[in-house]
Amino acid sequence: MNELQYGYIKRNLEFSFQAKTSRGEIKTHAAYLVYAFHPSNPTLKGWGEASPLMGLSIDGTDNFEEQLSTILAYFNEGNSPLSVDLTSFPAVRFAIETAQLDLFNGGEQIVFDNTFIYGKSIPINGLVWMDSIDNMLVQAVTKIQEGYTCIKFKIGAHDFDVECKMLEQIRKQYPADRVEIRLDANGAFAPDDAVLKLKELARFGIHSIEQPIAPRQLDEMEEVCGKSPIPVALDEELIGLDPEEHGAKLLKFIKPKYLILKPTLLGGLGMSAKWVRKANEHEMDWWATSALESNIGLNAIAQWTAVQKTSLPQGLGTGNLYTNNIEGPLLAKAGALHFLPQNAWKLPHPELD
């Protein structure tokens, strides 16, 4: 494994719309497409992706590219990735892991032998991005009309009563037995009134809410999880934690209903699998969510998800976000992510970029 050589190509992914998040509007997202090859056959490459989110990933720093270049140069000197502690670089670990898996499986973007690549689609939620209330309603209705039966709203940016009216409008048209609603507060609620807000939101038949209060408030989150009528899912709370060292204690104390697994933020597929095992031990469910990766990262997460035992809608509908994504067989349509082998991958060429 330490005989492999590594390189990367940077691509600034351009959003096809105004992408507004709890951390402000983003127009581009830097994707670092990492490739691995053996010197005896340099034309055969395996691909991974390191695309940390600024302001959220622990390796989302201004000098990330410099750090990535230094790490890959160290590997290219003959040092094994296994000899390096990449805890502080979860996106790099994800990229190296998937590039190796792809290479060892023939360099055809097959990370695992799984049902997804043979035609079994993965159910996904339709994401409603932060925007004006009117535009969020339009997004939601459009997704439902396209065939999505699970809709996820980002909330916390508008007045709470206005957001409640938005959900009420959706529920008047689409009852809970027809459309599942998930919420993501991104830690927007204050601990002292979070439970009151969750009780108010519960009347709209909400499936779950992600991270109602900001992470690292363990006592407050434990109380919220215990009193909330809406099942709580942990998201940002997991970032930077080792599932073996901290995961068991965290889950036993807070007792969430769900975990949100983002391999780019958690340190790869292997680390995400450890969180799955911890969730199973505590009888909790989970779903995987992309972190705005290009189709290379999304493909790896989807294939990993396909080998897990889960039937919940996943957060993997981000492939259509960009005007310059890596073209390939992934297609999000009618509430599912599909793999269309007739749509060949159009991968970058390192020697040309």
Side-chain angles (χ1 to χ4, degrees):
M1 190 174 294
N2 60 341
E3 296 178 354
L4 298 181
Q5 296 289 292
Y6 299 88
Y8 74 92
I9 294 174
K10 180 181 180 181
R11 174 172 293 196
N12 287 316
L13 300 170
E14 300 175 355
F15 283 86
S16 59
F17 63 102
Q18 286 187 314
K20 299 177 181 179
T21 74
S22 59
R23 293 169 296 280
E25 182 178 343
I26 47 178
K27 296 181 179 180
T28 62
H29 179 49
Y32 299 90
L33 309 178
V34 175
Y35 56 88
F37 63 94
H38 195 281
S40 65
N41 188 6
T43 60
L44 179 65
K45 293 180 174 63
W47 289 88
E49 179 174 352
S51 302
L53 290 174
M54 297 294 289
L56 187 58
S57 306
I58 61 175
D59 50 357
T61 59
D62 291 335
N63 65 338
F64 174 78
E65 183 172 4
E66 178 183 347
Q67 292 174 321
L68 173 65
S69 180
T70 299
I71 291 170
L72 296 184
Y74 183 74
F75 295 158
N76 289 341
E77 292 172 356
N79 300 292
S80 170
L82 297 176
S83 68
V84 180
D85 182 5
L86 292 175
T87 301
S88 298
F89 300 95
V92 177
R93 180 187 282 167
F94 174 50
I96 294 296
E97 174 188 48
T98 50
Q100 290 179 349
L101 287 169
D102 179 21
L103 180 63
F104 299 155
N105 284 299
E108 297 181 351
Q109 289 64 62
I110 304 301
V111 182
F112 298 97
D113 185 24
N114 64 90
T115 57
F116 177 60
I117 62 174
Y118 297 120
K120 185 177 180 180
S121 59
I122 298 173
I124 58 176
N125 63 242
L127 177 61
V128 175
W129 286 74
M130 288 181 176
D131 205 331
S132 69
I133 291 296
D134 287 343
N135 285 344
M136 291 177 73
L137 283 168
V138 169
Q139 288 184 61
V141 172
T142 300
K143 290 289 185 183
I144 294 169
Q145 291 176 344
E146 289 174 350
Y148 287 83
T149 58
C150 177
I151 302 295
K152 173 181 169 179
F153 288 88
K154 295 272 191 178
I155 63 169
H158 296 283
D159 178 80
F160 180 72
D161 290 336
V162 173
E163 291 181 332
C164 285
K165 291 179 181 178
M166 173 186 69
L167 296 172
E168 185 176 37
Q169 283 187 255
I170 290 294
R171 272 292 174 245
K172 285 180 179 178
Q173 293 179 263
Y174 306 102
D177 60 356
R178 182 177 174 187
V179 174
E180 178 180 286
I181 293 179
R182 295 175 177 174
L183 302 178
D184 184 359
N186 286 122
F189 297 164
D192 57 359
D193 66 355
V195 173
L196 290 176
K197 288 184 175 180
L198 291 169
K199 289 180 178 178
E200 178 67 15
L201 290 168
R203 65 189 178 94
F204 304 116
I206 305 301
H207 170 270
S208 57
I209 183 165
E210 298 177 28
Q211 206 67 45
I213 66 174
R216 306 302 184 259
Q217 303 180 88
L218 300 188
D219 291 335
E220 293 83 352
M221 183 65 87
E222 187 270 341
E223 181 178 1
V224 169
C225 287
K227 295 181 178 179
S228 173
I230 300 174
V232 172
L234 298 187
D235 182 358
E236 290 91 342
E237 202 74 61
L238 308 181
I239 297 174
L241 299 183
D242 184 290
E244 299 291 348
E245 185 177 355
H246 305 106
K249 293 180 180 179
L250 177 78
L251 301 187
K252 183 178 181 180
F253 179 67
I254 294 182
K255 300 182 181 66
K257 180 66 175 179
Y258 301 106
L259 303 183
I260 310 301
L261 304 181
K262 297 175 178 174
T264 287
L265 306 185
L266 298 182
L269 305 177
M271 195 64 70
S272 297
K274 291 181 180 180
W275 279 112
V276 169
R277 288 195 290 271
K278 291 303 175 185
N280 291 339
E281 289 172 8
H282 291 81
E283 298 182 340
M284 300 168 184
D285 220 327
W286 62 273
W287 59 86
T289 298
S290 60
L292 304 184
E293 297 90 355
S294 77
N295 277 334
I296 287 181
L298 180 62
N299 176 59
I301 299 171
Q303 291 188 30
W304 174 79
T305 302
V307 302
Q308 310 301 315
K309 295 181 179 179
T310 180
S311 59
L312 293 176
Q314 307 293 304
L316 302 178
T318 56
N320 299 329
L321 297 180
Y322 305 114
T323 60
N324 60 338
N325 205 340
I326 304 297
E327 293 184 42
L330 302 186
L331 175 66
K333 183 179 180 182
L337 184 65
H338 309 271
F339 190 93
L340 307 178
Q342 66 270 26
N343 296 344
W345 286 100
K346 295 183 179 180
L347 298 167
H349 297 281
E351 61 275 10
L352 299 179
D353 284 78

